[in-house]
Amino acid sequence: MLRVEFNSSAGQSIGVEVEYGIVSRDTGELIPVSSEILDELTGGTEHPKAKNELFQPSLEVITGICSTPAEAMADLASTVAEIQPLLRKRDLGLVSTGTHPFSHWDGVPVTPNPRYLQLIDTMQWPAQRLLIHGIHVHVGIRSPEKAIITTNVAAMYLPIFLALSASSPYWLGRDTGLASARTKIFEGLPTTGIPPQLSGWNAFNDLLDTLVHAGTIETVREVWWDIRPHPDFGTVEFRMCDGMTDLREVATVAALAQCLVAWIDDWVDNERPIKLLPEWMLRDNKWRACRKGIDAHLIIDEKGTTQPLVERLESLIELLMPYAIELGCTEELLRAGQIVQRGPSYIRQRQLVADGKTLPEVVNELVEETDEGVAAYLTQEEA
């Protein structure tokens, strides 16, 4: 019988993973050179913080265990800065958006990794389309039972994360009408989406054991819920977000995640009741954020009462501010309001097109945004 142990964390440490697409600075197209770039970067060895992804136009940059979002962004910026000279001499850049606006997934080379090749073979067409990019935020959890409680409670707030990060209105050269097309593409895989509401760690283990016995998964790594316990790291992993090109905006969703976990931890310690929303409501609210982004109205009770997502965000920021002060991330948390005022990436991309820009020109703007965000954290680190 499968039994997974949870390596508890001492506090709300944070780790961030950003998936990037490698694009031409000239044409904006995805260019399949991640293995070539990483081999040149490391001399053929494995880099500790830059990894291949499923497809060759993509790579992932990860942080170590950090205390604050600012520390995590400086970590990410440092690794990206190692990669950028190798890209620039090839006239290439990085963007992190949920989907590439116009490059096609068909025929893109798969990274020759046994795990990736098995995924493509097992899942076929749904996996073949996964030329998408997201952000994952890990927050340390003090016990396995708290990992389950945190997953259950935080799932109610995931539409806010999705709306702030939504960056995939375009796919295969057309406007999908969605704020996050990536969300619907990824949902094509099994064991994705809203997590089941489980009663505790034993129930989580029982579910994993059943899934393995049924042949649905081989390991816990194939449970791709929008938020999930990560037993090896001792974290809860927020997986809802689209890719975000500007690291300053990545810092904001990281701060939201860290503060939300701290609030849940506090409420559990003080035995305060938290009423969970039913799963059908979580699914409906996820769809609303996927479709409308920050303009969504979320269902808040079983009578069907709705509230603007932006108002829910404002209330959440107020609720979490004491924890942000304690954790040292007030600036990053407050920037959520700035994202709303400026417009998340899906709005900015559409505005560029409305102003007469072509999709390749939109990609070029995103490359510049990547560079600016990285430079901002390198400057802070030097200071």
PDB file of all heavy atoms in Angstrom, residues 267-286:
ATOM      1  N   TRP A 267      -5.432  30.737  11.749  1.00  0.00           N
ATOM      2  CA  TRP A 267      -6.817  30.413  12.070  1.00  0.00           C
ATOM      3  C   TRP A 267      -6.948  28.970  12.555  1.00  0.00           C
ATOM      4  O   TRP A 267      -7.735  28.678  13.449  1.00  0.00           O
ATOM      5  CB  TRP A 267      -7.714  30.670  10.851  1.00  0.00           C
ATOM      6  CG  TRP A 267      -8.162  32.099  10.800  1.00  0.00           C
ATOM      7  CD1 TRP A 267      -7.354  33.200  10.691  1.00  0.00           C
ATOM      8  CD2 TRP A 267      -9.496  32.588  10.899  1.00  0.00           C
ATOM      9  NE1 TRP A 267      -8.107  34.342  10.700  1.00  0.00           N
ATOM     10  CE2 TRP A 267      -9.431  34.013  10.824  1.00  0.00           C
ATOM     11  CE3 TRP A 267     -10.734  31.977  11.009  1.00  0.00           C
ATOM     12  CZ2 TRP A 267     -10.569  34.813  10.882  1.00  0.00           C
ATOM     13  CZ3 TRP A 267     -11.868  32.785  11.065  1.00  0.00           C
ATOM     14  CH2 TRP A 267     -11.787  34.181  11.004  1.00  0.00           C
ATOM     15  N   VAL A 268      -6.193  28.073  11.978  1.00  0.00           N
ATOM     16  CA  VAL A 268      -6.231  26.687  12.438  1.00  0.00           C
ATOM     17  C   VAL A 268      -5.690  26.592  13.868  1.00  0.00           C
ATOM     18  O   VAL A 268      -6.278  25.918  14.730  1.00  0.00           O
ATOM     19  CB  VAL A 268      -5.427  25.773  11.487  1.00  0.00           C
ATOM     20  CG1 VAL A 268      -5.274  24.376  12.074  1.00  0.00           C
ATOM     21  CG2 VAL A 268      -6.105  25.700  10.121  1.00  0.00           C
ATOM     22  N   ASP A 269      -4.580  27.275  14.139  1.00  0.00           N
ATOM     23  CA  ASP A 269      -3.996  27.247  15.483  1.00  0.00           C
ATOM     24  C   ASP A 269      -4.964  27.780  16.535  1.00  0.00           C
ATOM     25  O   ASP A 269      -4.971  27.324  17.682  1.00  0.00           O
ATOM     26  CB  ASP A 269      -2.708  28.072  15.519  1.00  0.00           C
ATOM     27  CG  ASP A 269      -1.528  27.345  14.896  1.00  0.00           C
ATOM     28  OD1 ASP A 269      -1.658  26.135  14.612  1.00  0.00           O
ATOM     29  OD2 ASP A 269      -0.480  27.987  14.677  1.00  0.00           O
ATOM     30  N   ASN A 270      -5.778  28.762  16.139  1.00  0.00           N
ATOM     31  CA  ASN A 270      -6.725  29.370  17.075  1.00  0.00           C
ATOM     32  C   ASN A 270      -8.115  28.739  17.021  1.00  0.00           C
ATOM     33  O   ASN A 270      -9.055  29.267  17.616  1.00  0.00           O
ATOM     34  CB  ASN A 270      -6.817  30.877  16.807  1.00  0.00           C
ATOM     35  CG  ASN A 270      -5.580  31.633  17.246  1.00  0.00           C
ATOM     36  OD1 ASN A 270      -5.403  31.905  18.423  1.00  0.00           O
ATOM     37  ND2 ASN A 270      -4.704  31.941  16.298  1.00  0.00           N
ATOM     38  N   GLU A 271      -8.203  27.613  16.290  1.00  0.00           N
ATOM     39  CA  GLU A 271      -9.431  26.820  16.211  1.00  0.00           C
ATOM     40  C   GLU A 271     -10.632  27.648  15.761  1.00  0.00           C
ATOM     41  O   GLU A 271     -11.755  27.478  16.234  1.00  0.00           O
ATOM     42  CB  GLU A 271      -9.726  26.149  17.555  1.00  0.00           C
ATOM     43  CG  GLU A 271      -8.620  25.188  17.984  1.00  0.00           C
ATOM     44  CD  GLU A 271      -8.932  24.465  19.277  1.00  0.00           C
ATOM     45  OE1 GLU A 271      -9.881  24.875  19.983  1.00  0.00           O
ATOM     46  OE2 GLU A 271      -8.228  23.497  19.596  1.00  0.00           O
ATOM     47  N   ARG A 272     -10.394  28.539  14.826  1.00  0.00           N
ATOM     48  CA  ARG A 272     -11.488  29.328  14.262  1.00  0.00           C
ATOM     49  C   ARG A 272     -12.102  28.567  13.090  1.00  0.00           C
ATOM     50  O   ARG A 272     -11.375  28.013  12.263  1.00  0.00           O
ATOM     51  CB  ARG A 272     -10.965  30.688  13.789  1.00  0.00           C
ATOM     52  CG  ARG A 272     -10.396  31.554  14.900  1.00  0.00           C
ATOM     53  CD  ARG A 272      -9.660  32.733  14.322  1.00  0.00           C
ATOM     54  NE  ARG A 272      -9.107  33.590  15.355  1.00  0.00           N
ATOM     55  CZ  ARG A 272      -8.201  34.525  15.139  1.00  0.00           C
ATOM     56  NH1 ARG A 272      -7.716  34.704  13.918  1.00  0.00           N
ATOM     57  NH2 ARG A 272      -7.747  35.265  16.126  1.00  0.00           N
ATOM     58  N   PRO A 273     -13.401  28.551  12.973  1.00  0.00           N
ATOM     59  CA  PRO A 273     -14.030  27.797  11.874  1.00  0.00           C
ATOM     60  C   PRO A 273     -13.863  28.519  10.534  1.00  0.00           C
ATOM     61  O   PRO A 273     -13.915  29.751  10.471  1.00  0.00           O
ATOM     62  CB  PRO A 273     -15.498  27.745  12.290  1.00  0.00           C
ATOM     63  CG  PRO A 273     -15.690  28.955  13.156  1.00  0.00           C
ATOM     64  CD  PRO A 273     -14.388  29.154  13.884  1.00  0.00           C
ATOM     65  N   ILE A 274     -13.647  27.745   9.488  1.00  0.00           N
ATOM     66  CA  ILE A 274     -13.583  28.275   8.125  1.00  0.00           C
ATOM     67  C   ILE A 274     -14.578  27.480   7.283  1.00  0.00           C
ATOM     68  O   ILE A 274     -14.463  26.269   7.147  1.00  0.00           O
ATOM     69  CB  ILE A 274     -12.172  28.142   7.515  1.00  0.00           C
ATOM     70  CG1 ILE A 274     -11.142  28.851   8.396  1.00  0.00           C
ATOM     71  CG2 ILE A 274     -12.141  28.724   6.105  1.00  0.00           C
ATOM     72  CD1 ILE A 274      -9.713  28.688   7.923  1.00  0.00           C
ATOM     73  N   LYS A 275     -15.571  28.158   6.746  1.00  0.00           N
ATOM     74  CA  LYS A 275     -16.593  27.491   5.936  1.00  0.00           C
ATOM     75  C   LYS A 275     -16.089  27.326   4.512  1.00  0.00           C
ATOM     76  O   LYS A 275     -15.723  28.299   3.843  1.00  0.00           O
ATOM     77  CB  LYS A 275     -17.902  28.297   5.943  1.00  0.00           C
ATOM     78  CG  LYS A 275     -19.016  27.661   5.112  1.00  0.00           C
ATOM     79  CD  LYS A 275     -20.296  28.443   5.228  1.00  0.00           C
ATOM     80  CE  LYS A 275     -21.367  27.931   4.255  1.00  0.00           C
ATOM     81  NZ  LYS A 275     -21.639  26.490   4.433  1.00  0.00           N
ATOM     82  N   LEU A 276     -16.060  26.088   4.042  1.00  0.00           N
ATOM     83  CA  LEU A 276     -15.609  25.810   2.682  1.00  0.00           C
ATOM     84  C   LEU A 276     -16.759  25.955   1.697  1.00  0.00           C
ATOM     85  O   LEU A 276     -17.916  25.648   2.015  1.00  0.00           O
ATOM     86  CB  LEU A 276     -15.049  24.382   2.596  1.00  0.00           C
ATOM     87  CG  LEU A 276     -13.822  24.070   3.457  1.00  0.00           C
ATOM     88  CD1 LEU A 276     -13.430  22.605   3.285  1.00  0.00           C
ATOM     89  CD2 LEU A 276     -12.651  24.977   3.117  1.00  0.00           C
ATOM     90  N   LEU A 277     -16.431  26.408   0.501  1.00  0.00           N
ATOM     91  CA  LEU A 277     -17.410  26.446  -0.578  1.00  0.00           C
ATOM     92  C   LEU A 277     -17.497  25.069  -1.224  1.00  0.00           C
ATOM     93  O   LEU A 277     -16.503  24.344  -1.291  1.00  0.00           O
ATOM     94  CB  LEU A 277     -16.995  27.479  -1.631  1.00  0.00           C
ATOM     95  CG  LEU A 277     -16.872  28.933  -1.165  1.00  0.00           C
ATOM     96  CD1 LEU A 277     -16.389  29.807  -2.321  1.00  0.00           C
ATOM     97  CD2 LEU A 277     -18.190  29.461  -0.621  1.00  0.00           C
ATOM     98  N   PRO A 278     -18.661  24.678  -1.726  1.00  0.00           N
ATOM     99  CA  PRO A 278     -18.781  23.373  -2.395  1.00  0.00           C
ATOM    100  C   PRO A 278     -17.962  23.337  -3.680  1.00  0.00           C
ATOM    101  O   PRO A 278     -17.690  24.377  -4.300  1.00  0.00           O
ATOM    102  CB  PRO A 278     -20.275  23.258  -2.681  1.00  0.00           C
ATOM    103  CG  PRO A 278     -20.791  24.658  -2.673  1.00  0.00           C
ATOM    104  CD  PRO A 278     -19.939  25.409  -1.688  1.00  0.00           C
ATOM    105  N   GLU A 279     -17.596  22.115  -4.095  1.00  0.00           N
ATOM    106  CA  GLU A 279     -16.709  21.970  -5.256  1.00  0.00           C
ATOM    107  C   GLU A 279     -17.322  22.543  -6.528  1.00  0.00           C
ATOM    108  O   GLU A 279     -16.608  23.092  -7.372  1.00  0.00           O
ATOM    109  CB  GLU A 279     -16.343  20.493  -5.435  1.00  0.00           C
ATOM    110  CG  GLU A 279     -15.363  19.985  -4.393  1.00  0.00           C
ATOM    111  CD  GLU A 279     -14.867  18.580  -4.690  1.00  0.00           C
ATOM    112  OE1 GLU A 279     -14.622  18.277  -5.871  1.00  0.00           O
ATOM    113  OE2 GLU A 279     -14.745  17.784  -3.745  1.00  0.00           O
ATOM    114  N   TRP A 280     -18.649  22.435  -6.692  1.00  0.00           N
ATOM    115  CA  TRP A 280     -19.252  22.959  -7.921  1.00  0.00           C
ATOM    116  C   TRP A 280     -19.044  24.475  -8.008  1.00  0.00           C
ATOM    117  O   TRP A 280     -18.842  25.033  -9.095  1.00  0.00           O
ATOM    118  CB  TRP A 280     -20.742  22.626  -7.996  1.00  0.00           C
ATOM    119  CG  TRP A 280     -21.626  23.398  -7.039  1.00  0.00           C
ATOM    120  CD1 TRP A 280     -22.061  22.996  -5.817  1.00  0.00           C
ATOM    121  CD2 TRP A 280     -22.159  24.722  -7.242  1.00  0.00           C
ATOM    122  NE1 TRP A 280     -22.844  23.980  -5.231  1.00  0.00           N
ATOM    123  CE2 TRP A 280     -22.920  25.046  -6.095  1.00  0.00           C
ATOM    124  CE3 TRP A 280     -22.082  25.655  -8.281  1.00  0.00           C
ATOM    125  CZ2 TRP A 280     -23.594  26.255  -5.937  1.00  0.00           C
ATOM    126  CZ3 TRP A 280     -22.746  26.874  -8.141  1.00  0.00           C
ATOM    127  CH2 TRP A 280     -23.500  27.163  -6.981  1.00  0.00           C
ATOM    128  N   MET A 281     -19.063  25.148  -6.855  1.00  0.00           N
ATOM    129  CA  MET A 281     -18.874  26.589  -6.835  1.00  0.00           C
ATOM    130  C   MET A 281     -17.418  26.947  -7.156  1.00  0.00           C
ATOM    131  O   MET A 281     -17.146  27.932  -7.860  1.00  0.00           O
ATOM    132  CB  MET A 281     -19.265  27.137  -5.470  1.00  0.00           C
ATOM    133  CG  MET A 281     -19.526  28.637  -5.463  1.00  0.00           C
ATOM    134  SD  MET A 281     -19.981  29.240  -3.822  1.00  0.00           S
ATOM    135  CE  MET A 281     -21.522  28.356  -3.544  1.00  0.00           C
ATOM    136  N   LEU A 282     -16.485  26.142  -6.652  1.00  0.00           N
ATOM    137  CA  LEU A 282     -15.076  26.370  -6.969  1.00  0.00           C
ATOM    138  C   LEU A 282     -14.838  26.244  -8.474  1.00  0.00           C
ATOM    139  O   LEU A 282     -14.108  27.044  -9.073  1.00  0.00           O
ATOM    140  CB  LEU A 282     -14.199  25.376  -6.216  1.00  0.00           C
ATOM    141  CG  LEU A 282     -14.279  25.379  -4.678  1.00  0.00           C
ATOM    142  CD1 LEU A 282     -13.297  24.361  -4.107  1.00  0.00           C
ATOM    143  CD2 LEU A 282     -14.023  26.764  -4.115  1.00  0.00           C
ATOM    144  N   ARG A 283     -15.455  25.234  -9.099  1.00  0.00           N
ATOM    145  CA  ARG A 283     -15.292  25.035 -10.542  1.00  0.00           C
ATOM    146  C   ARG A 283     -15.898  26.199 -11.323  1.00  0.00           C
ATOM    147  O   ARG A 283     -15.321  26.677 -12.307  1.00  0.00           O
ATOM    148  CB  ARG A 283     -15.919  23.707 -10.970  1.00  0.00           C
ATOM    149  CG  ARG A 283     -15.149  22.478 -10.530  1.00  0.00           C
ATOM    150  CD  ARG A 283     -15.644  21.233 -11.238  1.00  0.00           C
ATOM    151  NE  ARG A 283     -17.039  20.938 -10.916  1.00  0.00           N
ATOM    152  CZ  ARG A 283     -17.436  20.196  -9.888  1.00  0.00           C
ATOM    153  NH1 ARG A 283     -16.531  19.678  -9.073  1.00  0.00           N
ATOM    154  NH2 ARG A 283     -18.711  19.961  -9.674  1.00  0.00           N
ATOM    155  N   ASP A 284     -17.086  26.641 -10.879  1.00  0.00           N
ATOM    156  CA  ASP A 284     -17.757  27.742 -11.570  1.00  0.00           C
ATOM    157  C   ASP A 284     -16.949  29.022 -11.458  1.00  0.00           C
ATOM    158  O   ASP A 284     -16.755  29.756 -12.445  1.00  0.00           O
ATOM    159  CB  ASP A 284     -19.154  27.950 -10.979  1.00  0.00           C
ATOM    160  CG  ASP A 284     -20.081  28.709 -11.929  1.00  0.00           C
ATOM    161  OD1 ASP A 284     -19.654  29.728 -12.474  1.00  0.00           O
ATOM    162  OD2 ASP A 284     -21.229  28.262 -12.128  1.00  0.00           O
ATOM    163  N   ASN A 285     -16.425  29.302 -10.257  1.00  0.00           N
ATOM    164  CA  ASN A 285     -15.628  30.513 -10.076  1.00  0.00           C
ATOM    165  C   ASN A 285     -14.321  30.462 -10.859  1.00  0.00           C
ATOM    166  O   ASN A 285     -13.847  31.482 -11.365  1.00  0.00           O
ATOM    167  CB  ASN A 285     -15.349  30.728  -8.590  1.00  0.00           C
ATOM    168  CG  ASN A 285     -16.548  31.303  -7.853  1.00  0.00           C
ATOM    169  OD1 ASN A 285     -17.455  31.871  -8.462  1.00  0.00           O
ATOM    170  ND2 ASN A 285     -16.560  31.155  -6.547  1.00  0.00           N
ATOM    171  N   LYS A 286     -13.744  29.278 -10.967  1.00  0.00           N
ATOM    172  CA  LYS A 286     -12.542  29.136 -11.780  1.00  0.00           C
ATOM    173  C   LYS A 286     -12.853  29.489 -13.240  1.00  0.00           C
ATOM    174  O   LYS A 286     -12.088  30.209 -13.899  1.00  0.00           O
ATOM    175  CB  LYS A 286     -11.995  27.713 -11.686  1.00  0.00           C
ATOM    176  CG  LYS A 286     -10.778  27.470 -12.568  1.00  0.00           C
ATOM    177  CD  LYS A 286     -10.323  26.026 -12.522  1.00  0.00           C
ATOM    178  CE  LYS A 286      -9.155  25.793 -13.472  1.00  0.00           C
ATOM    179  NZ  LYS A 286      -8.703  24.387 -13.465  1.00  0.00           N
TER     180      LYS A 286
END
